[in-house]
């Protein structure tokens, strides 16, 4: 596999990753309906996630590639999702935020690797697209880090 194929493969992984995260975030926005500040931030990130998928699709389009998922994704999150699947318990929102925080880290690492690979083949447009996405993932990760204590306190007060 040459370096171009590596970038194409990782872009396909990234597309599949953003698509599956969209579905998870839709549920989390619903779980956060009682906490407007969290709901709004998750909705904002859901909108961003749709844009990320479009940006990645644009990179693949330029290369004449489709978005068909590969058998073994670089960042296969389905296993992780199952481990963190939330049920009908009232600590859903705390668990959602922990999951989203974890997901953001995985995305950050994936885009860092993708940026390095795209730099190596001199694909500046892919580097630019991934850098833009990376910045938004870092912002989300920082927001979750800063707000997880508040979300947790809210739940604990409610439970007391
Ligand atoms: Fe994302």
């Amino acid at each position: 596999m040459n370096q171009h194929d590596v970038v194409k493969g990782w872009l396909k992984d990234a597309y599949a990753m953003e698509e599956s995260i969209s579905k998870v975030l839709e549920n989390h926005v619903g779980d956060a309906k009682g906490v407007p500040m969290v709901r709004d931030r998750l909705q904002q990130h859901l909108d961003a996630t749709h844009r990320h998928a479009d940006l990645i699709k644009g990179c693949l389009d330029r290369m004449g590639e489709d978005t068909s998922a590969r058998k073994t994704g670089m960042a296969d999150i389905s296993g992780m999702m199952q481990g963190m699947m939330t049920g009908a318990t009232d600590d859903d929102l705390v668990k959602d935020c922990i999951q989203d925080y974890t997901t953001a880290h995985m995305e950050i690492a994936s885009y860092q690797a993708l940026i390095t690979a795209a730099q190596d083949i001199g694909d500046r447009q892919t580097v630019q697209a991934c850098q833009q996405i990376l910045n938004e993932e870092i912002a989300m990760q920082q927001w979750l880090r800063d707000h997880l204590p508040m979300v947790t306190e809210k739940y604990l007060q409610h439970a007391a």
Side-chain angles (χ1 to χ4, degrees), residues 17-18 21 25 45 48-50 52-53 103 107 111 133 137:
M17 178 174 72
E18 297 290 2
I21 291 168
L25 279 173
H45 195 62
T49 301
H50 290 313
H52 296 169
T103 302
E107 293 187 84
Y111 284 112
I133 297 172
E137 305 298 1

Side-chain angles (χ1 to χ4, degrees), residues 29 31-44 93 143 150 154:
V29 169
D31 289 342
K33 60 181 180 297
V35 190
M37 185 211 213
V38 177
R39 183 203 56 210
D40 292 351
R41 185 62 181 88
L42 291 179
Q43 179 64 53
Q44 189 191 329
L93 190 54
W143 190 92
M150 178 275 280
K154 248 181 142 46

Side-chain angles (χ1 to χ4, degrees), residues 128-143:
Q128 229 173 28
C130 292
Q131 188 64 55
Q132 187 188 328
I133 297 172
L134 176 64
N135 292 341
E136 293 184 351
E137 305 298 1
I138 290 171
M140 187 62 200
Q141 175 254 316
Q142 289 174 342
W143 190 92

